mmCIF file of all heavy atoms in Angstrom:
data_model
loop_
_atom_site.group_PDB
_atom_site.id
_atom_site.type_symbol
_atom_site.label_atom_id
_atom_site.label_comp_id
_atom_site.label_asym_id
_atom_site.label_seq_id
_atom_site.Cartn_x
_atom_site.Cartn_y
_atom_site.Cartn_z
ATOM 1 N N PHE A 131 -25.920 19.928 0.713
ATOM 2 C CA PHE A 131 -25.906 21.361 0.810
ATOM 3 C C PHE A 131 -26.400 21.790 2.370
ATOM 4 O O PHE A 131 -27.110 22.549 2.501
ATOM 5 C CB PHE A 131 -26.813 21.980 -0.155
ATOM 6 C CG PHE A 131 -26.323 21.873 -1.524
ATOM 7 C CD1 PHE A 131 -26.694 20.717 -2.301
ATOM 8 C CD2 PHE A 131 -25.559 22.820 -2.036
ATOM 9 C CE1 PHE A 131 -26.108 20.620 -3.589
ATOM 10 C CE2 PHE A 131 -25.003 22.691 -3.322
ATOM 11 C CZ PHE A 131 -25.395 21.555 -4.117
ATOM 12 N N THR A 132 -25.702 20.968 3.319
ATOM 13 C CA THR A 132 -26.191 21.126 4.659
ATOM 14 C C THR A 132 -25.475 22.361 5.314
ATOM 15 O O THR A 132 -25.864 22.968 6.271
ATOM 16 C CB THR A 132 -26.006 19.964 5.573
ATOM 17 O OG1 THR A 132 -24.683 19.388 5.219
ATOM 18 C CG2 THR A 132 -27.027 18.899 5.216
ATOM 19 N N SER A 133 -24.323 22.617 4.875
ATOM 20 C CA SER A 133 -23.404 23.783 5.337
ATOM 21 C C SER A 133 -22.777 24.391 4.145
ATOM 22 O O SER A 133 -22.706 23.914 3.079
ATOM 23 C CB SER A 133 -22.392 23.285 6.349
ATOM 24 O OG SER A 133 -21.429 22.545 5.710
ATOM 25 N N LEU A 134 -22.143 25.605 4.434
ATOM 26 C CA LEU A 134 -21.495 26.396 3.394
ATOM 27 C C LEU A 134 -20.268 25.557 2.870
ATOM 28 O O LEU A 134 -20.071 25.507 1.726
ATOM 29 C CB LEU A 134 -21.053 27.626 4.092
ATOM 30 C CG LEU A 134 -20.634 28.787 3.040
ATOM 31 C CD1 LEU A 134 -21.876 29.219 2.223
ATOM 32 C CD2 LEU A 134 -20.020 29.917 3.710
ATOM 33 N N PHE A 135 -19.545 24.963 3.745
ATOM 34 C CA PHE A 135 -18.377 24.215 3.410
ATOM 35 C C PHE A 135 -18.678 23.017 2.581
ATOM 36 O O PHE A 135 -18.072 22.691 1.501
ATOM 37 C CB PHE A 135 -17.587 23.823 4.687
ATOM 38 C CG PHE A 135 -16.303 23.069 4.414
ATOM 39 C CD1 PHE A 135 -15.185 23.769 3.833
ATOM 40 C CD2 PHE A 135 -16.250 21.708 4.621
ATOM 41 C CE1 PHE A 135 -14.015 23.107 3.653
ATOM 42 C CE2 PHE A 135 -14.940 21.057 4.315
ATOM 43 C CZ PHE A 135 -13.879 21.847 3.770
ATOM 44 N N SER A 136 -19.771 22.221 3.030
ATOM 45 C CA SER A 136 -20.129 20.963 2.204
ATOM 46 C C SER A 136 -20.743 21.398 0.867
ATOM 47 O O SER A 136 -20.462 20.708 -0.038
ATOM 48 C CB SER A 136 -21.108 20.109 3.116
ATOM 49 O OG SER A 136 -22.319 20.828 3.187
ATOM 50 N N SER A 137 -21.436 22.454 0.862
ATOM 51 C CA SER A 137 -22.066 22.958 -0.447
ATOM 52 C C SER A 137 -20.871 23.287 -1.351
ATOM 53 O O SER A 137 -20.904 22.879 -2.580
ATOM 54 C CB SER A 137 -22.885 24.260 -0.242
ATOM 55 O OG SER A 137 -23.765 24.058 0.801
ATOM 56 N N PHE A 138 -19.846 24.047 -0.856
ATOM 57 C CA PHE A 138 -18.739 24.459 -1.694
ATOM 58 C C PHE A 138 -17.907 23.172 -2.272
ATOM 59 O O PHE A 138 -17.728 23.087 -3.418
ATOM 60 C CB PHE A 138 -17.758 25.371 -0.855
ATOM 61 C CG PHE A 138 -16.532 25.754 -1.601
ATOM 62 C CD1 PHE A 138 -16.533 26.605 -2.623
ATOM 63 C CD2 PHE A 138 -15.325 25.094 -1.284
ATOM 64 C CE1 PHE A 138 -15.474 26.881 -3.366
ATOM 65 C CE2 PHE A 138 -14.104 25.370 -1.954
ATOM 66 C CZ PHE A 138 -14.170 26.330 -2.985
ATOM 67 N N ASN A 139 -17.808 22.313 -1.279
ATOM 68 C CA ASN A 139 -17.152 20.943 -1.671
ATOM 69 C C ASN A 139 -17.937 20.227 -2.753
ATOM 70 O O ASN A 139 -17.342 19.767 -3.726
ATOM 71 C CB ASN A 139 -16.949 20.082 -0.417
ATOM 72 C CG ASN A 139 -15.615 20.075 0.095
ATOM 73 O OD1 ASN A 139 -14.745 20.655 -0.418
ATOM 74 N ND2 ASN A 139 -15.507 19.529 1.263
ATOM 75 N N ALA A 140 -19.202 20.190 -2.668
ATOM 76 C CA ALA A 140 -20.082 19.356 -3.499
ATOM 77 C C ALA A 140 -19.928 20.061 -5.003
ATOM 78 O O ALA A 140 -19.875 19.379 -6.032
ATOM 79 C CB ALA A 140 -21.471 19.384 -3.047
ATOM 80 N N LEU A 141 -19.978 21.355 -4.944
ATOM 81 C CA LEU A 141 -19.974 22.045 -6.217
ATOM 82 C C LEU A 141 -18.501 21.959 -6.868
ATOM 83 O O LEU A 141 -18.485 21.791 -8.148
ATOM 84 C CB LEU A 141 -20.227 23.637 -5.974
ATOM 85 C CG LEU A 141 -21.757 23.894 -5.742
ATOM 86 C CD1 LEU A 141 -21.984 25.404 -5.273
ATOM 87 C CD2 LEU A 141 -22.757 23.567 -6.864
ATOM 88 N N LEU A 142 -17.634 22.060 -6.179
ATOM 89 C CA LEU A 142 -16.171 21.886 -6.625
ATOM 90 C C LEU A 142 -16.028 20.469 -7.248
ATOM 91 O O LEU A 142 -15.441 20.312 -8.349
ATOM 92 C CB LEU A 142 -15.218 22.129 -5.408
ATOM 93 C CG LEU A 142 -13.698 22.306 -5.741
ATOM 94 C CD1 LEU A 142 -13.547 23.681 -6.425
ATOM 95 C CD2 LEU A 142 -12.839 22.170 -4.520
ATOM 96 N N ILE A 143 -16.391 19.526 -6.521
ATOM 97 C CA ILE A 143 -16.240 18.093 -7.091
ATOM 98 C C ILE A 143 -17.066 17.955 -8.314
ATOM 99 O O ILE A 143 -16.546 17.416 -9.294
ATOM 100 C CB ILE A 143 -16.775 17.029 -5.963
ATOM 101 C CG1 ILE A 143 -15.710 17.076 -4.902
ATOM 102 C CG2 ILE A 143 -16.864 15.697 -6.691
ATOM 103 C CD1 ILE A 143 -16.132 16.170 -3.618
ATOM 104 N N PHE A 144 -18.254 18.497 -8.354
ATOM 105 C CA PHE A 144 -19.086 18.404 -9.627
ATOM 106 C C PHE A 144 -18.346 19.204 -10.765
ATOM 107 O O PHE A 144 -18.293 18.581 -11.840
ATOM 108 C CB PHE A 144 -20.441 19.100 -9.304
ATOM 109 C CG PHE A 144 -21.445 18.946 -10.425
ATOM 110 C CD1 PHE A 144 -21.966 17.671 -10.671
ATOM 111 C CD2 PHE A 144 -21.652 19.936 -11.332
ATOM 112 C CE1 PHE A 144 -22.865 17.622 -11.797
ATOM 113 C CE2 PHE A 144 -22.629 19.932 -12.314
ATOM 114 C CZ PHE A 144 -23.132 18.712 -12.573
ATOM 115 N N ALA A 145 -17.903 20.390 -10.529
ATOM 116 C CA ALA A 145 -17.227 21.138 -11.495
ATOM 117 C C ALA A 145 -16.007 20.373 -12.041
ATOM 118 O O ALA A 145 -15.732 20.354 -13.165
ATOM 119 C CB ALA A 145 -16.924 22.572 -10.995
ATOM 120 N N GLY A 146 -15.195 19.910 -11.040
ATOM 121 C CA GLY A 146 -14.013 19.156 -11.368
ATOM 122 C C GLY A 146 -14.254 17.966 -12.312
ATOM 123 O O GLY A 146 -13.614 17.695 -13.223
ATOM 124 N N LEU A 147 -15.323 17.150 -11.862
ATOM 125 C CA LEU A 147 -15.681 16.007 -12.700
ATOM 126 C C LEU A 147 -16.107 16.386 -14.081
ATOM 127 O O LEU A 147 -15.665 15.778 -15.010
ATOM 128 C CB LEU A 147 -16.838 15.264 -11.927
ATOM 129 C CG LEU A 147 -17.399 14.026 -12.633
ATOM 130 C CD1 LEU A 147 -16.480 12.836 -12.492
ATOM 131 C CD2 LEU A 147 -18.772 13.558 -12.096
ATOM 132 N N VAL A 148 -16.976 17.342 -14.224
ATOM 133 C CA VAL A 148 -17.544 17.749 -15.520
ATOM 134 C C VAL A 148 -16.465 18.298 -16.408
ATOM 135 O O VAL A 148 -16.287 17.844 -17.555
ATOM 136 C CB VAL A 148 -18.710 18.645 -15.396
ATOM 137 C CG1 VAL A 148 -19.210 19.215 -16.747
ATOM 138 C CG2 VAL A 148 -19.824 17.933 -14.680
ATOM 139 N N THR A 149 -15.662 19.195 -15.877
ATOM 140 C CA THR A 149 -14.642 19.869 -16.774
ATOM 141 C C THR A 149 -13.494 18.837 -17.096
ATOM 142 O O THR A 149 -13.054 18.869 -18.247
ATOM 143 C CB THR A 149 -14.020 21.091 -16.114
ATOM 144 O OG1 THR A 149 -13.541 20.710 -14.778
ATOM 145 C CG2 THR A 149 -15.029 22.087 -15.993
ATOM 146 N N THR A 150 -13.174 17.981 -16.187
ATOM 147 C CA THR A 150 -12.116 16.901 -16.559
ATOM 148 C C THR A 150 -12.679 15.947 -17.556
ATOM 149 O O THR A 150 -11.953 15.635 -18.528
ATOM 150 C CB THR A 150 -11.778 16.170 -15.253
ATOM 151 O OG1 THR A 150 -11.326 17.006 -14.274
ATOM 152 C CG2 THR A 150 -10.581 15.266 -15.534
ATOM 153 N N LEU A 151 -13.914 15.532 -17.478
ATOM 154 C CA LEU A 151 -14.497 14.709 -18.575
ATOM 155 C C LEU A 151 -14.540 15.501 -19.918
ATOM 156 O O LEU A 151 -14.177 14.870 -20.973
ATOM 157 C CB LEU A 151 -15.934 14.337 -18.112
ATOM 158 C CG LEU A 151 -16.040 13.185 -17.070
ATOM 159 C CD1 LEU A 151 -17.525 13.003 -16.696
ATOM 160 C CD2 LEU A 151 -15.385 11.926 -17.569
ATOM 161 N N ILE A 152 -14.825 16.763 -19.908
ATOM 162 C CA ILE A 152 -14.860 17.557 -21.115
ATOM 163 C C ILE A 152 -13.451 17.589 -21.686
ATOM 164 O O ILE A 152 -13.267 17.491 -22.959
ATOM 165 C CB ILE A 152 -15.377 19.018 -20.835
ATOM 166 C CG1 ILE A 152 -16.892 18.959 -20.593
ATOM 167 C CG2 ILE A 152 -15.149 19.927 -22.036
ATOM 168 C CD1 ILE A 152 -17.505 20.115 -20.173
ATOM 169 N N TYR A 153 -12.416 17.754 -20.862
ATOM 170 C CA TYR A 153 -11.112 17.743 -21.372
ATOM 171 C C TYR A 153 -10.741 16.470 -22.129
ATOM 172 O O TYR A 153 -10.059 16.561 -23.153
ATOM 173 C CB TYR A 153 -10.033 17.906 -20.223
ATOM 174 C CG TYR A 153 -8.703 17.876 -20.655
ATOM 175 C CD1 TYR A 153 -8.054 18.916 -21.289
ATOM 176 C CD2 TYR A 153 -7.853 16.609 -20.466
ATOM 177 C CE1 TYR A 153 -6.754 18.792 -21.759
ATOM 178 C CE2 TYR A 153 -6.542 16.639 -20.943
ATOM 179 C CZ TYR A 153 -6.011 17.703 -21.589
ATOM 180 O OH TYR A 153 -4.796 17.637 -22.068
ATOM 181 N N PHE A 154 -11.369 15.300 -21.728
ATOM 182 C CA PHE A 154 -10.999 14.082 -22.473
ATOM 183 C C PHE A 154 -12.126 13.808 -23.537
ATOM 184 O O PHE A 154 -12.127 12.668 -23.943
ATOM 185 C CB PHE A 154 -10.984 12.977 -21.467
ATOM 186 C CG PHE A 154 -9.728 13.017 -20.640
ATOM 187 C CD1 PHE A 154 -9.749 13.434 -19.248
ATOM 188 C CD2 PHE A 154 -8.437 12.554 -21.231
ATOM 189 C CE1 PHE A 154 -8.621 13.467 -18.573
ATOM 190 C CE2 PHE A 154 -7.381 12.627 -20.366
ATOM 191 C CZ PHE A 154 -7.433 13.106 -19.183
ATOM 192 N N TYR A 155 -12.984 14.813 -23.803
ATOM 193 C CA TYR A 155 -13.906 14.543 -24.924
ATOM 194 C C TYR A 155 -13.342 15.096 -26.228
ATOM 195 O O TYR A 155 -13.069 16.333 -26.426
ATOM 196 C CB TYR A 155 -15.183 15.315 -24.582
ATOM 197 C CG TYR A 155 -16.307 15.271 -25.621
ATOM 198 C CD1 TYR A 155 -16.912 13.943 -25.793
ATOM 199 C CD2 TYR A 155 -16.740 16.219 -26.456
ATOM 200 C CE1 TYR A 155 -17.876 13.744 -26.761
ATOM 201 C CE2 TYR A 155 -17.771 16.056 -27.375
ATOM 202 C CZ TYR A 155 -18.275 14.888 -27.482
ATOM 203 O OH TYR A 155 -19.287 14.655 -28.418
ATOM 204 N N PHE A 156 -12.990 14.176 -27.122
ATOM 205 C CA PHE A 156 -12.224 14.528 -28.383
ATOM 206 C C PHE A 156 -13.080 14.635 -29.665
ATOM 207 O O PHE A 156 -12.545 14.681 -30.751
ATOM 208 C CB PHE A 156 -11.015 13.651 -28.637
ATOM 209 C CG PHE A 156 -10.055 13.614 -27.425
ATOM 210 C CD1 PHE A 156 -9.956 12.447 -26.673
ATOM 211 C CD2 PHE A 156 -9.399 14.789 -27.006
ATOM 212 C CE1 PHE A 156 -9.018 12.549 -25.496
ATOM 213 C CE2 PHE A 156 -8.630 14.804 -25.988
ATOM 214 C CZ PHE A 156 -8.339 13.700 -25.186
ATOM 215 N N SER A 157 -14.484 14.345 -29.495
ATOM 216 C CA SER A 157 -15.292 14.342 -30.677
ATOM 217 C C SER A 157 -15.830 15.607 -31.239
ATOM 218 O O SER A 157 -16.636 15.586 -32.101
ATOM 219 C CB SER A 157 -16.349 13.254 -30.411
ATOM 220 O OG SER A 157 -15.832 12.069 -30.061
ATOM 221 N N ALA A 158 -15.397 16.782 -30.623
ATOM 222 C CA ALA A 158 -15.956 18.018 -31.059
ATOM 223 C C ALA A 158 -14.743 19.071 -30.932
ATOM 224 O O ALA A 158 -13.828 18.899 -30.185
ATOM 225 C CB ALA A 158 -17.061 18.405 -30.223
ATOM 226 N N LYS A 159 -14.862 20.114 -31.755
ATOM 227 C CA LYS A 159 -13.754 21.068 -31.759
ATOM 228 C C LYS A 159 -13.800 21.863 -30.422
ATOM 229 O O LYS A 159 -14.944 22.176 -29.887
ATOM 230 C CB LYS A 159 -14.059 22.082 -32.934
ATOM 231 C CG LYS A 159 -13.221 21.780 -34.087
ATOM 232 C CD LYS A 159 -13.273 22.945 -35.047
ATOM 233 C CE LYS A 159 -12.358 22.771 -36.253
ATOM 234 N NZ LYS A 159 -12.396 23.875 -37.266
ATOM 235 N N ARG A 160 -12.721 22.276 -29.955
ATOM 236 C CA ARG A 160 -12.708 22.965 -28.611
ATOM 237 C C ARG A 160 -12.888 24.377 -28.751
ATOM 238 O O ARG A 160 -11.986 25.269 -28.715
ATOM 239 C CB ARG A 160 -11.377 22.653 -27.872
ATOM 240 C CG ARG A 160 -11.251 21.182 -27.751
ATOM 241 C CD ARG A 160 -10.393 20.867 -26.488
ATOM 242 N NE ARG A 160 -10.417 19.426 -26.258
ATOM 243 C CZ ARG A 160 -9.814 18.845 -25.514
ATOM 244 N NH1 ARG A 160 -8.812 19.397 -24.747
ATOM 245 N NH2 ARG A 160 -9.925 17.512 -25.270
ATOM 246 N N GLU A 161 -14.216 24.753 -29.083
ATOM 247 C CA GLU A 161 -14.551 26.122 -29.337
ATOM 248 C C GLU A 161 -15.609 26.529 -28.209
ATOM 249 O O GLU A 161 -16.154 25.735 -27.531
ATOM 250 C CB GLU A 161 -15.100 26.276 -30.726
ATOM 251 C CG GLU A 161 -14.089 26.016 -31.713
ATOM 252 C CD GLU A 161 -14.811 25.971 -33.175
ATOM 253 O OE1 GLU A 161 -16.016 25.711 -33.294
ATOM 254 O OE2 GLU A 161 -14.164 26.245 -34.182
ATOM 255 N N HIS A 162 -15.682 27.805 -28.215
ATOM 256 C CA HIS A 162 -16.838 28.469 -27.261
ATOM 257 C C HIS A 162 -16.556 27.839 -25.778
ATOM 258 O O HIS A 162 -15.548 27.786 -25.239
ATOM 259 C CB HIS A 162 -18.195 28.255 -27.896
ATOM 260 C CG HIS A 162 -18.249 28.619 -29.273
ATOM 261 N ND1 HIS A 162 -17.969 29.872 -29.782
ATOM 262 C CD2 HIS A 162 -18.531 27.791 -30.427
ATOM 263 C CE1 HIS A 162 -18.125 29.840 -31.120
ATOM 264 N NE2 HIS A 162 -18.355 28.591 -31.459
#
Side-chain angles (χ1 to χ4, degrees):
Chain A
F131 293 88
T132 48
S133 69
L134 197 67
F135 184 69
S136 67
S137 311
F138 175 75
N139 258 352
L141 289 170
L142 193 69
I143 287 166
F144 185 74
L147 176 74
V148 172
T149 54
T150 305
L151 284 175
I152 288 173
Y153 176 75
F154 288 105
Y155 182 69
F156 302 114
S157 302
K159 264 193 176 180
R160 301 213 168 164
E161 293 171 335
H162 314 299

